[in-house]
Amino acid sequence: MARAKNGEGSCKFMKDGYWHFNKQLDILDENTGKNVRIHTTGKTEEEARKKGKEKEKEKRKAILLDVEGKWTGKETLETLIDEYMLYKLKDSTIRDKWTESTYQSNADMAKATIYKHRIAKLQIHMLKLSTFKEFYSWLDSVTFTQYGEEKIGYSYNYKKKIRFLLGQTLEYLVKKGYPNLRYNYAWKADVSKPNQDAIDEDTYGFTEQDEEVLADEDIPKFEKAMEHNQYKAAPAFVLMLSTGIRSEELFALQIGKDYDISEDEKSGVLYIYKAVGQRYKNPENHSLGKEKYLKRTKNGEHRLCLLDELSIKAIRRMEQNAKYHCRNNVHNLLFPTEKTGNYYDRDTFAGSFKRLCNQYDIHREPGWGPHVCRHTFITYNTLRFDQMRNPLLVAKAVAAQAGHKDLDMTLNTYTHLTADRLKDSGIINPISHLKELGNEFQEE
Protein backbone atom coordinates (compact mmCIF):
# COMPACT_ATOMS: atom_id res chain seq x y z
CA MET A 1 0.00 0.00 0.00
CA ALA A 2 1.35 3.43 -0.91
CA ARG A 3 1.09 6.73 0.92
CA ALA A 4 -2.42 7.36 2.26
CA LYS A 5 -2.43 11.17 2.45
CA ASN A 6 0.06 14.02 2.22
CA GLY A 7 1.98 14.29 5.47
CA GLU A 8 1.24 10.73 6.62
CA GLY A 9 4.27 9.07 5.01
CA SER A 10 4.44 6.03 2.76
CA CYS A 11 4.36 2.35 3.64
CA LYS A 12 5.38 -0.43 1.25
CA PHE A 13 5.55 -4.23 1.42
CA MET A 14 9.10 -5.29 0.60
CA LYS A 15 10.67 -8.56 -0.58
CA ASP A 16 11.93 -9.37 2.93
CA GLY A 17 8.30 -9.93 3.97
CA TYR A 18 8.07 -6.79 6.17
CA TRP A 19 6.24 -3.49 5.75
CA HIS A 20 8.65 -0.54 5.51
CA PHE A 21 7.41 2.89 6.68
CA ASN A 22 9.12 6.08 5.39
CA LYS A 23 8.27 9.70 6.27
CA GLN A 24 10.08 13.01 5.81
CA LEU A 25 9.47 15.44 8.70
CA ASP A 26 9.31 19.21 8.51
CA ILE A 27 12.30 19.57 10.87
CA LEU A 28 16.01 19.55 10.05
CA ASP A 29 18.66 17.17 11.30
CA GLU A 30 21.02 18.87 13.75
CA ASN A 31 24.14 17.36 12.18
CA THR A 32 23.39 17.23 8.44
CA GLY A 33 21.04 20.20 8.14
CA LYS A 34 18.67 18.13 5.97
CA ASN A 35 15.09 17.12 6.68
CA VAL A 36 14.77 14.29 9.19
CA ARG A 37 13.50 10.98 7.73
CA ILE A 38 11.88 8.23 9.76
CA HIS A 39 12.28 4.57 8.77
CA THR A 40 10.48 1.77 10.62
CA THR A 41 9.47 -1.81 9.82
CA GLY A 42 6.65 -4.06 10.95
CA LYS A 43 4.97 -7.33 10.17
CA THR A 44 1.84 -5.43 9.19
CA GLU A 45 1.23 -1.96 7.78
CA GLU A 46 -0.50 -0.86 10.96
CA GLU A 47 2.45 -1.99 13.07
CA ALA A 48 4.95 -0.16 10.81
CA ARG A 49 2.91 3.06 10.90
CA LYS A 50 2.42 2.81 14.67
CA LYS A 51 6.18 2.48 15.20
CA GLY A 52 6.68 5.43 12.84
CA LYS A 53 4.35 7.66 14.87
CA GLU A 54 6.12 6.71 18.10
CA LYS A 55 9.49 7.49 16.54
CA GLU A 56 8.18 10.81 15.24
CA LYS A 57 7.01 11.75 18.74
CA GLU A 58 10.49 11.06 20.08
CA LYS A 59 12.02 13.28 17.39
CA ARG A 60 9.59 16.07 18.17
CA LYS A 61 10.15 15.99 21.93
CA ALA A 62 12.86 18.64 21.54
CA ILE A 63 10.53 20.73 19.39
CA LEU A 64 7.28 21.24 21.28
CA LEU A 65 4.25 23.17 20.13
CA ASP A 66 4.34 26.96 20.27
CA VAL A 67 1.68 29.10 21.94
CA GLU A 68 -0.58 28.84 18.87
CA GLY A 69 -0.26 25.07 18.68
CA LYS A 70 1.88 25.07 15.52
CA TRP A 71 5.10 23.21 14.85
CA THR A 72 8.13 25.47 14.72
CA GLY A 73 10.31 22.98 12.87
CA LYS A 74 10.40 24.81 9.53
CA GLU A 75 11.53 28.17 10.91
CA THR A 76 15.25 28.87 10.62
CA LEU A 77 17.15 31.54 12.53
CA GLU A 78 17.27 33.64 9.34
CA THR A 79 13.47 33.58 9.10
CA LEU A 80 13.11 34.46 12.79
CA ILE A 81 15.55 37.41 12.53
CA ASP A 82 13.50 38.78 9.62
CA GLU A 83 10.34 38.29 11.67
CA TYR A 84 11.87 40.10 14.64
CA MET A 85 13.00 43.10 12.57
CA LEU A 86 9.61 43.42 10.88
CA TYR A 87 7.92 43.24 14.26
CA LYS A 88 10.14 46.01 15.61
CA LEU A 89 9.53 48.09 12.51
CA LYS A 90 5.76 47.70 12.40
CA ASP A 91 4.88 47.74 16.08
CA SER A 92 3.56 51.20 16.94
CA THR A 93 4.64 51.04 20.58
CA ILE A 94 8.33 51.12 19.68
CA ARG A 95 8.21 52.97 16.36
CA ASP A 96 10.09 55.90 17.91
CA LYS A 97 13.07 53.66 18.69
CA TRP A 98 13.26 51.85 15.36
CA THR A 99 13.03 53.94 12.21
CA GLU A 100 12.97 52.56 8.67
CA SER A 101 16.64 53.45 8.21
CA THR A 102 17.51 51.49 11.37
CA TYR A 103 15.70 48.49 9.97
CA GLN A 104 17.59 48.94 6.69
CA SER A 105 21.01 49.06 8.37
CA ASN A 106 20.25 45.99 10.50
CA ALA A 107 18.91 44.07 7.49
CA ASP A 108 22.06 44.89 5.50
CA MET A 109 24.27 43.90 8.46
CA ALA A 110 22.47 40.55 8.87
CA LYS A 111 22.67 39.86 5.13
CA ALA A 112 26.41 40.61 5.03
CA THR A 113 27.34 38.49 8.06
CA ILE A 114 24.76 36.24 9.77
CA TYR A 115 23.05 34.98 6.62
CA LYS A 116 26.41 33.94 5.11
CA HIS A 117 27.11 31.56 8.01
CA ARG A 118 25.53 28.18 8.63
CA ILE A 119 23.97 29.52 11.85
CA ALA A 120 21.29 31.22 9.74
CA LYS A 121 20.02 27.85 8.47
CA LEU A 122 19.66 26.30 11.93
CA GLN A 123 16.32 25.86 13.66
CA ILE A 124 15.49 26.75 17.25
CA HIS A 125 16.22 23.31 18.68
CA MET A 126 19.68 23.32 17.02
CA LEU A 127 20.90 26.54 18.65
CA LYS A 128 23.63 25.98 21.22
CA LEU A 129 26.17 28.08 23.08
CA SER A 130 28.98 26.47 21.08
CA THR A 131 27.24 27.47 17.81
CA PHE A 132 27.26 31.15 18.72
CA LYS A 133 30.87 30.98 19.92
CA GLU A 134 31.82 29.45 16.58
CA PHE A 135 29.95 32.19 14.70
CA TYR A 136 31.63 35.00 16.68
CA SER A 137 35.03 33.40 16.03
CA TRP A 138 34.19 33.24 12.34
CA LEU A 139 33.67 37.02 12.34
CA ASP A 140 37.33 37.41 13.35
CA SER A 141 38.62 35.43 10.36
CA VAL A 142 36.26 36.33 7.50
CA THR A 143 37.72 38.40 4.65
CA PHE A 144 35.71 41.32 3.27
CA THR A 145 36.26 44.62 1.46
CA GLN A 146 35.49 48.11 2.72
CA TYR A 147 35.99 51.24 0.61
CA GLY A 148 38.00 49.15 -1.82
CA GLU A 149 40.41 47.93 0.87
CA GLU A 150 40.60 44.22 1.74
CA LYS A 151 40.28 43.56 5.47
CA ILE A 152 40.29 40.44 7.64
CA GLY A 153 37.96 40.31 10.62
CA TYR A 154 35.29 42.82 11.56
CA SER A 155 35.97 45.55 14.09
CA TYR A 156 35.06 45.01 17.73
CA ASN A 157 32.28 47.64 17.62
CA TYR A 158 30.72 46.07 14.51
CA LYS A 159 30.82 42.62 16.10
CA LYS A 160 29.06 44.04 19.15
CA LYS A 161 26.28 45.36 16.89
CA ILE A 162 25.84 41.91 15.34
CA ARG A 163 25.75 40.32 18.81
CA PHE A 164 23.20 42.91 19.93
CA LEU A 165 20.90 42.07 16.99
CA LEU A 166 21.16 38.33 17.71
CA GLY A 167 20.66 38.85 21.43
CA GLN A 168 17.57 41.01 20.91
CA THR A 169 16.16 38.44 18.46
CA LEU A 170 16.54 35.54 20.89
CA GLU A 171 15.16 37.66 23.72
CA TYR A 172 12.09 38.37 21.58
CA LEU A 173 11.69 34.65 20.81
CA VAL A 174 11.99 33.68 24.49
CA LYS A 175 9.29 36.18 25.42
CA LYS A 176 7.10 34.97 22.58
CA GLY A 177 7.23 31.47 24.02
CA TYR A 178 9.22 29.56 21.45
CA PRO A 179 9.75 26.01 22.72
CA ASN A 180 13.08 24.60 23.85
CA LEU A 181 14.72 28.03 23.97
CA ARG A 182 15.39 28.55 27.64
CA TYR A 183 18.66 30.45 27.36
CA ASN A 184 19.76 33.43 25.31
CA TYR A 185 22.91 31.87 23.88
CA ALA A 186 23.66 34.99 21.85
CA TRP A 187 24.18 36.93 25.09
CA LYS A 188 26.07 34.13 26.86
CA ALA A 189 28.64 33.88 24.09
CA ASP A 190 30.83 36.98 23.79
CA VAL A 191 32.76 38.52 20.92
CA SER A 192 36.54 38.61 21.22
CA LYS A 193 38.12 41.88 22.30
CA PRO A 194 41.33 43.12 20.69
CA ASN A 195 44.39 42.46 22.83
CA GLN A 196 45.07 45.83 24.43
CA ASP A 197 48.23 44.69 26.23
CA ALA A 198 50.24 43.37 23.29
CA ILE A 199 52.77 45.82 21.82
CA ASP A 200 54.51 45.36 18.51
CA GLU A 201 58.27 45.64 18.97
CA ASP A 202 58.59 47.43 15.63
CA THR A 203 56.17 50.17 16.73
CA TYR A 204 57.92 53.35 17.80
CA GLY A 205 56.19 55.84 20.03
CA PHE A 206 52.80 57.40 19.40
CA THR A 207 51.28 57.67 15.93
CA GLU A 208 48.72 60.32 15.11
CA GLN A 209 47.52 58.49 12.02
CA ASP A 210 45.18 56.41 14.18
CA GLU A 211 42.99 59.48 14.74
CA GLU A 212 40.25 60.02 12.18
CA VAL A 213 41.09 63.62 11.31
CA LEU A 214 42.73 65.20 8.26
CA ALA A 215 46.27 66.57 8.56
CA ASP A 216 46.74 70.35 8.66
CA GLU A 217 48.62 70.43 5.36
CA ASP A 218 45.92 68.38 3.58
CA ILE A 219 42.86 70.49 4.44
CA PRO A 220 43.58 73.38 1.96
CA LYS A 221 43.90 70.82 -0.86
CA PHE A 222 40.11 70.39 -0.92
CA GLU A 223 39.66 74.10 -1.73
CA LYS A 224 42.32 73.71 -4.43
CA ALA A 225 40.37 70.76 -5.92
CA MET A 226 37.20 72.88 -5.89
CA GLU A 227 38.98 75.69 -7.76
CA HIS A 228 40.21 73.25 -10.41
CA ASN A 229 36.62 71.98 -10.76
CA GLN A 230 37.78 68.48 -11.75
CA TYR A 231 35.57 66.71 -9.22
CA LYS A 232 31.88 67.48 -8.89
CA ALA A 233 32.04 66.34 -5.25
CA ALA A 234 34.93 68.67 -4.28
CA PRO A 235 32.68 71.60 -3.21
CA ALA A 236 30.57 69.12 -1.22
CA PHE A 237 33.65 68.06 0.74
CA VAL A 238 34.52 71.74 1.33
CA LEU A 239 31.00 72.33 2.67
CA MET A 240 31.34 69.37 5.03
CA LEU A 241 34.73 70.66 6.24
CA SER A 242 33.38 74.16 6.87
CA THR A 243 30.02 73.23 8.48
CA GLY A 244 30.35 69.68 9.82
CA ILE A 245 27.20 68.57 7.97
CA ARG A 246 26.61 64.82 7.51
CA SER A 247 26.72 63.41 3.98
CA GLU A 248 23.09 62.20 4.03
CA GLU A 249 22.01 65.68 5.18
CA LEU A 250 24.02 67.25 2.36
CA PHE A 251 22.29 65.03 -0.22
CA ALA A 252 18.88 66.38 0.92
CA LEU A 253 19.71 70.12 0.57
CA GLN A 254 17.55 72.01 -1.92
CA ILE A 255 18.61 75.08 -3.91
CA GLY A 256 17.43 78.37 -2.42
CA LYS A 257 15.30 76.68 0.22
CA ASP A 258 17.58 75.22 2.87
CA TYR A 259 20.04 78.11 3.30
CA ASP A 260 19.96 81.87 3.71
CA ILE A 261 22.95 83.92 2.49
CA SER A 262 23.59 87.62 3.12
CA GLU A 263 23.77 90.11 0.21
CA ASP A 264 27.53 90.57 0.54
CA GLU A 265 27.90 86.75 0.57
CA LYS A 266 30.14 86.80 3.61
CA SER A 267 27.81 85.08 6.07
CA GLY A 268 24.74 82.90 6.09
CA VAL A 269 22.81 80.07 7.73
CA LEU A 270 22.22 76.47 6.67
CA TYR A 271 18.93 74.87 7.80
CA ILE A 272 19.32 71.17 8.66
CA TYR A 273 16.05 69.31 9.19
CA LYS A 274 16.06 66.38 6.74
CA ALA A 275 18.35 63.68 5.38
CA VAL A 276 18.35 61.00 2.68
CA GLY A 277 17.86 57.43 3.83
CA GLN A 278 17.66 54.06 2.11
CA ARG A 279 15.12 51.29 2.65
CA TYR A 280 13.68 48.22 0.99
CA LYS A 281 10.72 48.97 -1.27
CA ASN A 282 8.90 46.10 0.41
CA PRO A 283 10.39 44.94 3.75
CA GLU A 284 8.69 41.56 3.32
CA ASN A 285 10.08 41.03 -0.19
CA HIS A 286 13.71 42.12 -0.53
CA SER A 287 13.89 41.00 -4.16
CA LEU A 288 12.10 44.20 -5.20
CA GLY A 289 15.23 46.18 -4.35
CA LYS A 290 15.85 49.39 -2.41
CA GLU A 291 14.79 53.00 -2.74
CA LYS A 292 15.97 56.34 -1.37
CA TYR A 293 13.63 58.52 0.66
CA LEU A 294 13.64 61.68 2.79
CA LYS A 295 13.72 61.19 6.53
CA ARG A 296 14.24 63.27 9.64
CA THR A 297 17.76 64.10 10.72
CA LYS A 298 19.52 61.97 13.31
CA ASN A 299 17.90 62.61 16.72
CA GLY A 300 14.95 64.14 14.84
CA GLU A 301 15.83 67.75 15.71
CA HIS A 302 16.23 70.82 13.50
CA ARG A 303 19.45 72.80 13.74
CA LEU A 304 21.36 75.66 12.16
CA CYS A 305 24.86 75.68 10.65
CA LEU A 306 26.73 78.95 10.23
CA LEU A 307 28.15 79.72 6.80
CA ASP A 308 31.35 81.63 6.12
CA GLU A 309 32.78 82.92 2.81
CA LEU A 310 34.36 79.57 1.90
CA SER A 311 31.24 77.51 2.59
CA ILE A 312 29.13 80.02 0.61
CA LYS A 313 31.62 79.76 -2.25
CA ALA A 314 31.18 75.96 -2.16
CA ILE A 315 27.38 76.31 -2.25
CA ARG A 316 27.53 78.63 -5.28
CA ARG A 317 29.80 76.19 -7.10
CA MET A 318 27.37 73.36 -6.33
CA GLU A 319 24.50 75.47 -7.68
CA GLN A 320 26.39 75.95 -10.94
CA ASN A 321 27.18 72.25 -11.24
CA ALA A 322 23.53 71.33 -10.63
CA LYS A 323 22.40 73.84 -13.27
CA TYR A 324 24.82 72.88 -16.03
CA HIS A 325 25.38 69.16 -15.44
CA CYS A 326 21.97 67.90 -14.29
CA ARG A 327 19.39 67.87 -17.07
CA ASN A 328 16.38 66.99 -14.95
CA ASN A 329 16.71 68.16 -11.33
CA VAL A 330 13.23 67.05 -10.30
CA HIS A 331 13.76 67.68 -6.57
CA ASN A 332 15.69 70.96 -7.07
CA LEU A 333 18.62 69.43 -5.18
CA LEU A 334 21.85 71.26 -4.47
CA PHE A 335 23.86 68.09 -5.05
CA PRO A 336 21.89 65.81 -7.42
CA THR A 337 23.05 62.92 -9.57
CA GLU A 338 23.92 64.11 -13.09
CA LYS A 339 21.89 61.62 -15.15
CA THR A 340 18.67 61.15 -13.18
CA GLY A 341 18.63 64.19 -10.89
CA ASN A 342 17.92 61.86 -7.97
CA TYR A 343 19.37 61.73 -4.46
CA TYR A 344 23.11 61.03 -4.35
CA ASP A 345 24.47 57.63 -3.32
CA ARG A 346 26.79 57.21 -0.32
CA ASP A 347 29.00 54.60 -2.00
CA THR A 348 29.49 56.82 -5.07
CA PHE A 349 30.29 59.75 -2.78
CA ALA A 350 32.88 57.64 -0.90
CA GLY A 351 34.46 56.60 -4.23
CA SER A 352 34.81 60.26 -5.28
CA PHE A 353 36.45 61.05 -1.95
CA LYS A 354 38.99 58.26 -2.43
CA ARG A 355 39.89 59.33 -5.99
CA LEU A 356 40.26 62.99 -4.99
CA CYS A 357 42.56 62.07 -2.08
CA ASN A 358 44.70 59.93 -4.37
CA GLN A 359 45.08 62.66 -7.01
CA TYR A 360 45.87 65.50 -4.59
CA ASP A 361 48.13 63.38 -2.35
CA ILE A 362 45.85 63.69 0.70
CA HIS A 363 46.68 61.21 3.46
CA ARG A 364 43.79 58.77 3.92
CA GLU A 365 43.86 55.73 6.19
CA PRO A 366 42.09 52.54 4.97
CA GLY A 367 38.41 52.84 5.78
CA TRP A 368 38.37 56.66 5.87
CA GLY A 369 35.46 58.12 3.92
CA PRO A 370 33.85 61.56 3.59
CA HIS A 371 32.80 61.39 7.26
CA VAL A 372 36.39 62.30 8.19
CA CYS A 373 35.52 65.86 7.07
CA ARG A 374 32.94 66.04 9.84
CA HIS A 375 35.44 64.70 12.39
CA THR A 376 37.95 67.32 11.26
CA PHE A 377 35.47 70.19 11.53
CA ILE A 378 34.42 69.26 15.07
CA THR A 379 38.01 68.64 16.21
CA TYR A 380 39.24 72.03 15.02
CA ASN A 381 36.31 73.92 16.50
CA THR A 382 36.26 72.28 19.93
CA LEU A 383 40.01 73.00 20.22
CA ARG A 384 40.04 76.63 19.12
CA PHE A 385 42.93 77.86 21.17
CA ASP A 386 41.91 81.51 21.14
CA GLN A 387 38.73 80.59 23.04
CA MET A 388 40.12 78.13 25.56
CA ARG A 389 39.08 80.44 28.39
CA ASN A 390 35.60 78.93 28.05
CA PRO A 391 36.09 75.59 26.25
CA LEU A 392 32.79 74.14 27.52
CA LEU A 393 30.82 76.95 25.85
CA VAL A 394 32.70 76.36 22.60
CA ALA A 395 32.08 72.61 22.81
CA LYS A 396 28.36 73.11 23.42
CA ALA A 397 28.11 75.48 20.46
CA VAL A 398 29.88 72.99 18.19
CA ALA A 399 27.70 70.13 19.47
CA ALA A 400 24.59 72.16 18.64
CA GLN A 401 25.81 72.85 15.10
CA ALA A 402 26.88 69.22 14.61
CA GLY A 403 23.52 67.94 15.87
CA HIS A 404 24.75 66.01 18.93
CA LYS A 405 22.36 65.78 21.87
CA ASP A 406 25.08 64.38 24.10
CA LEU A 407 28.15 66.55 24.62
CA ASP A 408 30.20 63.40 25.27
CA MET A 409 29.69 62.40 21.62
CA THR A 410 31.29 65.68 20.50
CA LEU A 411 34.18 65.56 22.95
CA ASN A 412 34.98 61.84 23.05
CA THR A 413 34.12 60.55 19.57
CA TYR A 414 34.71 63.51 17.24
CA THR A 415 37.40 65.52 19.02
CA HIS A 416 40.87 64.12 18.30
CA LEU A 417 43.90 65.39 20.23
CA THR A 418 47.27 65.36 18.51
CA ALA A 419 50.63 66.30 19.97
CA ASP A 420 50.83 69.70 18.22
CA ARG A 421 47.29 70.69 19.23
CA LEU A 422 47.97 69.68 22.81
CA LYS A 423 51.10 71.88 22.92
CA ASP A 424 49.13 74.97 21.91
CA SER A 425 46.06 74.27 24.01
CA GLY A 426 47.17 76.44 26.94
CA ILE A 427 46.70 73.69 29.56
CA ILE A 428 48.16 74.95 32.86
CA ASN A 429 50.32 73.02 35.32
CA PRO A 430 48.62 73.76 38.67
CA ILE A 431 51.93 73.70 40.61
CA SER A 432 53.56 76.21 38.26
CA HIS A 433 50.41 78.30 38.28
CA LEU A 434 50.34 78.44 42.10
CA LYS A 435 54.03 79.39 42.17
CA GLU A 436 53.33 82.28 39.79
CA LEU A 437 50.47 83.45 42.00
CA GLY A 438 52.74 83.22 45.09
CA ASN A 439 55.43 85.33 43.40
CA GLU A 440 52.83 87.96 42.51
CA PHE A 441 51.69 88.19 46.15
CA GLN A 442 55.30 88.47 47.37
CA GLU A 443 56.03 91.30 44.94
CA GLU A 444 53.01 93.21 46.19
Side-chain angles (χ1 to χ4, degrees):
M1 182 179 178
R3 182 176 55 191
K5 292 181 182 179
N6 286 336
E8 292 189 1
S10 62
C11 197
K12 294 181 180 180
F13 185 74
M14 307 300 288
K15 291 181 180 180
D16 58 3
Y18 284 87
W19 287 85
H20 286 243
F21 176 75
N22 177 22
K23 183 179 180 180
Q24 178 176 294
L25 302 184
D26 56 358
I27 58 177
L28 301 181
D29 184 84
E30 187 172 344
N31 299 317
T32 64
K34 298 180 180 180
N35 287 74
V36 174
R37 278 193 173 275
I38 293 176
H39 297 277
T40 58
T41 59
K43 293 181 179 180
T44 63
E45 181 185 353
E46 291 182 0
E47 183 184 350
R49 286 187 177 277
K50 185 178 180 180
K51 287 183 178 179
K53 287 183 179 180
E54 291 175 355
K55 197 169 184 179
E56 181 180 349
K57 285 182 180 179
E58 292 178 3
K59 289 286 185 182
R60 292 192 183 274
K61 277 185 179 180
I63 310 172
L64 304 177
L65 296 173
D66 64 10
V67 291
E68 297 178 355
K70 297 178 181 179
W71 294 110
T72 60
K74 293 182 179 179
E75 296 173 321
T76 62
L77 182 60
E78 179 178 344
T79 306
L80 295 170
I81 291 174
D82 284 339
E83 177 187 332
Y84 165 72
M85 288 192 291
L86 286 172
Y87 161 77
K88 297 289 285 186
L89 178 65
K90 290 184 175 180
D91 197 298
S92 58
T93 59
I94 47 180
R95 185 176 295 275
D96 293 338
K97 294 183 180 179
W98 273 61
T99 62
E100 293 185 19
S101 59
T102 307
Y103 165 77
Q104 175 71 48
S105 61
N106 277 271
D108 289 344
M109 180 175 67
K111 187 177 180 180
T113 55
I114 303 171
Y115 297 170
K116 289 184 177 180
H117 192 266
R118 73 178 190 89
I119 195 174
K121 305 303 178 186
L122 299 182
Q123 297 169 344
I124 286 293
H125 68 287
M126 301 180 184
L127 298 178
K128 298 178 181 179
L129 181 60
S130 59
T131 312
F132 283 91
K133 287 182 177 179
E134 178 196 340
F135 170 68
Y136 293 150
S137 299
W138 176 78
L139 292 175
D140 292 328
S141 59
V142 65
T143 303
F144 65 99
T145 56
Q146 185 178 25
Y147 299 112
E149 305 287 345
E150 188 175 281
K151 305 182 79 175
I152 298 178
Y154 289 93
S155 66
Y156 179 57
N157 289 334
Y158 192 76
K159 287 186 291 186
K160 285 200 299 183
K161 290 180 181 179
I162 298 170
R163 179 175 178 264
F164 182 78
L165 173 61
L166 285 170
Q168 290 289 338
T169 302
L170 263 64
E171 187 175 312
Y172 158 69
L173 297 176
V174 169
K175 289 180 180 178
K176 195 175 179 182
Y178 271 75
N180 206 40
L181 187 63
R182 300 175 184 176
Y183 305 106
N184 194 325
Y185 299 115
W187 284 146
K188 285 182 174 292
D190 207 349
V191 297
S192 59
K193 291 184 178 180
N195 193 340
Q196 301 292 344
D197 299 328
I199 299 177
D200 188 353
E201 294 180 357
D202 296 332
T203 304
Y204 175 76
F206 170 76
T207 172
E208 296 178 359
Q209 294 180 353
D210 295 334
E211 305 294 355
E212 192 173 347
V213 61
L214 293 166
D216 293 358
E217 60 272 15
D218 288 337
I219 295 175
K221 295 178 182 178
F222 287 91
E223 183 182 4
K224 184 178 179 181
M226 182 178 71
E227 295 295 336
H228 291 171
N229 203 24
Q230 290 180 319
Y231 288 92
K232 179 191 171 186
F237 299 138
V238 172
L239 187 62
M240 291 182 71
L241 275 168
S242 56
T243 62
I245 188 174
R246 298 182 179 93
S247 58
E248 59 267 23
E249 295 167 348
L250 184 143
F251 300 158
L253 292 176
Q254 292 179 293
I255 297 175
K257 180 181 179 182
D258 298 328
Y259 48 88
D260 200 358
I261 298 174
S262 62
E263 293 183 1
D264 57 2
E265 300 212 343
K266 292 186 177 180
S267 62
V269 177
L270 200 62
Y271 304 106
I272 310 297
Y273 58 95
K274 58 188 175 182
V276 174
Q278 195 176 43
R279 62 187 176 190
Y280 285 108
K281 293 179 181 178
N282 185 350
E284 298 180 4
N285 185 3
H286 294 181
S287 62
L288 297 177
K290 302 175 184 178
E291 64 180 356
K292 293 182 177 63
Y293 73 105
L294 280 182
K295 63 177 184 178
R296 292 182 179 181
T297 56
K298 207 168 183 178
N299 301 327
E301 292 187 354
H302 298 185
R303 71 180 193 276
L304 301 176
C305 287
L306 299 179
L307 299 175
D308 57 10
E309 291 187 51
L310 182 59
S311 53
I312 292 171
K313 192 175 181 180
I315 287 176
R316 295 306 187 203
R317 179 60 61 86
M318 293 168 73
E319 287 176 345
Q320 292 176 6
N321 290 338
K323 181 179 179 181
Y324 292 109
H325 297 291
C326 182
R327 298 178 180 178
N328 186 24
N329 194 352
V330 289
H331 303 294
N332 196 32
L333 298 175
L334 181 65
F335 190 58
T337 55
E338 292 184 5
K339 293 182 180 179
T340 61
N342 208 336
Y343 300 114
Y344 219 79
D345 184 70
R346 291 181 65 179
D347 292 337
T348 307
F349 196 53
S352 299
F353 181 80
K354 180 180 178 181
R355 289 191 298 272
L356 189 148
C357 289
N358 290 341
Q359 180 170 345
Y360 285 87
D361 196 25
I362 297 172
H363 174 74
R364 185 186 69 88
E365 289 289 306
W368 281 14
H371 201 64
V372 71
C373 296
R374 178 173 165 85
H375 278 258
T376 304
F377 168 82
I378 295 175
T379 297
Y380 271 75
N381 280 276
T382 49
L383 297 175
R384 282 184 295 190
F385 309 128
D386 59 334
Q387 298 190 41
M388 284 302 288
R389 292 180 180 177
N390 197 345
L392 185 61
L393 179 61
V394 176
K396 284 188 174 182
V398 175
Q401 176 153 323
H404 292 156
K405 279 186 176 181
D406 191 352
L407 188 59
D408 288 343
M409 174 67 77
T410 306
L411 294 176
N412 296 332
T413 304
Y414 282 87
T415 303
H416 305 282
L417 276 174
T418 62
D420 290 337
R421 296 192 194 101
L422 199 58
K423 289 176 186 176
D424 300 330
S425 61
I427 295 176
I428 299 173
N429 181 339
I431 298 177
S432 301
H433 184 58
L434 289 173
K435 282 184 177 179
E436 291 177 4
L437 291 176
N439 293 334
E440 289 180 5
F441 288 130
Q442 288 178 3
E443 291 174 0
E444 292 179 0

